[in-house]
Amino acid sequence: MKKKKKYNPNRVKNFISNWIYKFKTLSFAKNILFFYIFITIVGSLFLFMPLSRKTDVDYIDCLFTSASAFSDTGLTTLTTATTWTEFGQAIIAVLILVGGLGWFALKAYLFNILLGRPISFRQRETLAAERGSSKVGVTKNLIKVSVTILFVVLVVAILILFLYFYFAQPDFDPYRTGTEDRSLLVENPYHSVTISFKYGIFHAISALNNAGFDIVGSSSFAPYYHEYGLQIIFIILFVIGGMGFPVIYDVYGYFKSKITKEKFHWSLFTKVSSITYLLVAAIGLGTTFIIEMSAHTAADGSQSFWERSDYGSKGDKVMALFFNSMSTRNAGFATINMGTLSSATLFQYCIMMFIGSAPSSTAGGIRTTTMAIVVLSIWSKIRGRNTVRAFRRRIPHETVVRSTVVFVSSLFLVAVASLITLSSLQEFGGKSADSNFIHVIFEVTSAFGTTGLSTGLTPDLSLASKLTLFLLMFIGQLGVSSTLLVWDSRKNNSRKYTYIEEHIQTG
């Protein structure tokens, strides 16, 4: 008869200690990834609770919604206002806020900065990777200033939106929003203090973090199609949230220097990121106007957006195109049915969402700086230069290579995800999947750019497609560069030696 092994508490303690040590010694990229996955799973479990939902919901939809909220995307398989209770909506808002500000940045701000606890070098390295600067030494001040400013902006936005929702009367036009069901305007905040306050809090968090979630109904902000003031407020919040922590820190430093009369120099990051952001927005907006104004009635008799009378005057249409074009900068709010726009406009929006906004911001995509460096490297090659330059600064070769890798890898990811989604989609809108290929690309780039704009395709997706978009939203939020670093091994022996160099002819 075998003797039972005695319980050894030291063995259990050592086992736990070893796992804690292994976790602490992970690279910062793996550390961030594991925490993000953990938070997403916890969020999905909260949403799966009966307390969080009004109807029966599959767990995959809870997981998808949690990932979409934490990655600040906004794509949904279920209507937020009609599916989740106020508790569930609060969980989504918390996920959006934590995902937008960054888990490690928020943790450091609350415990290390406000409570005065010291920040280790490893923590600074992780913060720099998540929401910080390339200069690890300035990360603490950068986080402190940026998060404080964002919280102040959030509080002011909540108050302004509360007043706006209280006094603005929605105009729900079922023909314009693409649905005949007027009940989809779930709650009317007009002259209701409680609903207006709830709308103010939720949508201020969603707009500032470029999340794209709303609790208006299935038609997003179509009921506020004529409320130009509300749309301008949202655009301001989009831009602030998409600037990135380093840019916010630079803007703060600029105004501070005006008070202290000290010299101030804008960082290269701020110059490149801001100019690229503005150029992409301006070019995208101008091209959208040209495409939509020149579009005519299709062969099947469907009118173009500019020709349709239900979208109001030309002024209304100009504002609608302006707002929805700016919304592609990772915002995700819409005042029109995106399916009514021409295929050329949708494809252009795909490009804008693919680029995204600034690094270290609430946005996704390849990021503005990556796009700028790729364009600058091509321009340098055309000019016959051996180095890439910007604003009298030379960009390191390693940065150029990394940007090119991110760009090519992102194209590959979006292409593969589009094929997976297309292959599992049998029919959409009464048409075959092949005829809606642009809608598939739109949905995929929206997930990758963590934008949240949709042509209405997401609810019809299969399990494989939902999981594909789930991964894309994660990669878009974490960043392609950081995702690639997850696979980096510290025990890579190839770093100890090099091979003989030999050139290969290229095209």
Side-chain angles (χ1 to χ4, degrees):
M1 185 176 180
K2 292 183 179 180
K3 293 183 179 180
K4 290 184 179 180
K5 291 184 179 180
K6 292 183 179 181
Y7 172 72
N8 189 350
N10 290 329
R11 287 186 62 187
V12 177
K13 185 178 179 180
N14 291 335
F15 177 79
I16 296 173
S17 299
N18 287 335
W19 274 103
I20 293 175
Y21 174 77
K22 287 180 180 179
F23 184 78
K24 285 184 177 181
T25 55
L26 288 174
S27 66
F28 61 85
K30 291 178 181 178
N31 203 8
I32 292 174
L33 175 64
F34 288 149
F35 261 104
Y36 280 12
I37 293 174
F38 174 75
I39 293 171
T40 300
I41 293 174
V42 170
S44 67
L45 293 175
F46 270 106
L47 290 177
F48 196 58
M49 293 169 57
L51 181 64
S52 302
R53 46 197 172 86
K54 299 177 182 178
T55 58
D56 291 334
V57 178
D58 294 332
Y59 177 72
I60 186 63
D61 292 314
C62 295
L63 184 64
F64 189 92
T65 302
S66 179
S68 182
F70 185 68
S71 63
D72 294 322
T73 301
L75 283 178
T76 56
T77 55
L78 302 165
T79 304
T80 306
T82 56
T83 304
W84 312 107
T85 62
E86 290 186 350
F87 179 76
Q89 292 170 12
I91 295 297
I92 292 173
V94 170
L95 287 170
I96 291 171
L97 186 63
V98 174
L101 296 179
W103 165 256
F104 293 97
L106 192 58
K107 175 175 169 287
Y109 181 80
L110 295 175
F111 293 99
N112 298 93
I113 296 174
L114 295 184
L115 298 179
R117 295 181 181 178
I119 301 179
S120 66
F121 181 80
R122 178 174 173 78
Q123 284 179 301
R124 291 176 187 269
E125 189 181 46
T126 305
L127 285 172
E130 185 188 44
R131 290 290 185 272
S133 168
S134 56
K135 298 178 182 178
V136 179
V138 303
T139 296
K140 181 178 179 180
N141 286 334
L142 184 146
I143 296 295
K144 179 181 178 180
V145 169
S146 301
V147 174
T148 300
I149 290 174
L150 288 175
F151 271 130
V152 171
V153 171
L154 180 62
V155 172
V156 173
I158 288 172
L159 294 175
I160 294 174
L161 289 178
F162 160 70
L163 294 173
Y164 214 108
F165 283 119
Y166 184 81
F167 290 107
Q169 189 168 7
D171 173 27
F172 189 73
D173 186 338
Y175 182 60
R176 187 180 70 246
T177 56
T179 176
E180 296 296 333
D181 190 358
R182 288 178 174 268
S183 66
L184 291 181
L185 180 60
V186 180
E187 293 179 304
N188 192 346
Y190 181 63
H191 284 179
S192 172
V193 175
T194 54
I195 298 176
S196 296
F197 192 61
K198 181 176 72 173
Y199 267 45
I201 294 174
F202 189 93
H203 295 118
I205 292 173
S206 184
L208 184 61
N209 291 282
N210 285 213
F213 275 86
D214 69 84
I215 52 175
V216 178
S218 62
S219 55
S220 190
F221 281 94
Y224 295 93
Y225 179 78
H226 297 288
E227 294 297 332
Y228 297 171
L230 181 64
Q231 295 172 40
I232 294 297
I233 293 169
F234 281 145
I235 290 173
I236 293 172
L237 293 176
F238 297 162
V239 173
I240 294 174
M243 288 168 63
F245 281 21
V247 178
I248 294 174
Y249 185 65
D250 262 12
V251 172
Y252 165 80
Y254 172 77
F255 285 106
K256 183 181 178 182
S257 68
K258 292 297 182 182
I259 297 173
T260 59
K261 306 296 181 182
E262 297 176 353
K263 287 186 178 181
F264 178 80
H265 298 284
W266 295 98
S267 67
L268 182 61
F269 175 92
T270 297
K271 292 177 183 178
V272 173
S273 177
S274 301
I275 290 175
T276 306
Y277 184 97
L278 293 174
L279 280 175
V280 171
I283 294 172
L285 183 61
T287 310
T288 298
F289 280 123
I290 293 172
I291 293 172
E292 290 301 324
M293 287 180 180
S294 60
H296 299 290
T297 303
D300 60 359
S302 58
Q303 288 183 310
S304 67
F305 169 79
W306 195 255
E307 292 177 326
R308 289 177 57 162
S309 59
D310 54 306
Y311 279 109
S313 64
K314 290 182 178 179
D316 292 333
K317 294 173 184 176
V318 167
M319 186 63 200
L321 290 177
F322 176 63
F323 178 79
N324 289 278
S325 294
M326 291 301 296
S327 193
T328 61
R329 317 308 300 120
N330 304 100
F333 289 163
T335 57
I336 61 175
N337 182 355
M338 301 302 290
T340 61
L341 298 175
S342 65
S343 297
T345 298
L346 292 180
F347 183 72
Q348 177 194 264
Y349 283 177
C350 291
I351 296 174
M352 296 172 72
M353 292 187 293
F354 178 78
I355 295 172
S357 293
S360 299
S361 72
T362 59
I366 63 173
R367 311 300 203 269
T368 50
T369 50
T370 301
M371 191 69 222
I373 292 172
V374 170
V375 172
L376 287 172
S377 63
I378 295 173
W379 178 247
S380 295
K381 201 67 179 175
I382 293 173
R383 295 291 299 274
R385 294 174 179 171
N386 295 324
T387 59
V388 178
R389 309 169 193 173
F391 298 100
R392 298 183 179 180
R393 294 289 187 274
R394 181 176 61 85
I395 298 174
H397 178 69
E398 181 185 351
T399 303
V400 176
V401 172
R402 185 167 63 246
S403 298
T404 306
V405 170
V406 168
F407 182 79
V408 174
S409 301
S410 300
L411 283 177
F412 178 76
L413 281 171
V414 169
V416 172
S418 298
L419 291 175
I420 293 173
T421 305
L422 184 66
S423 64
S424 62
L425 183 68
Q426 299 300 320
E427 187 175 316
F428 171 60
K431 302 177 182 179
S432 65
D434 292 338
S435 63
N436 288 285
F437 185 56
I438 185 62
H439 290 199
V440 173
I441 298 177
F442 188 91
E443 219 79 7
V444 169
T445 51
S446 180
F448 176 74
T450 65
T451 304
L453 289 175
S454 175
T455 57
L457 179 66
T458 305
D460 296 329
L461 296 179
S462 65
L463 177 61
S465 298
K466 289 178 182 178
L467 291 176
T468 301
L469 295 188
F470 170 86
L471 291 174
L472 273 184
M473 289 187 292
F474 247 95
I475 294 171
Q477 206 251 15
L478 183 62
V480 177
S481 183
S482 296
T483 305
L484 292 174
L485 286 174
V486 168
W487 307 102
D488 181 39
S489 175
R490 295 185 177 185
K491 297 180 180 180
N492 193 345
N493 294 323
S494 63
R495 298 177 182 177
K496 298 178 182 179
Y497 55 87
T498 58
Y499 289 103
I500 298 173
E501 186 179 88
E502 183 175 349
H503 291 283
I504 298 177
Q505 187 69 27
T506 59

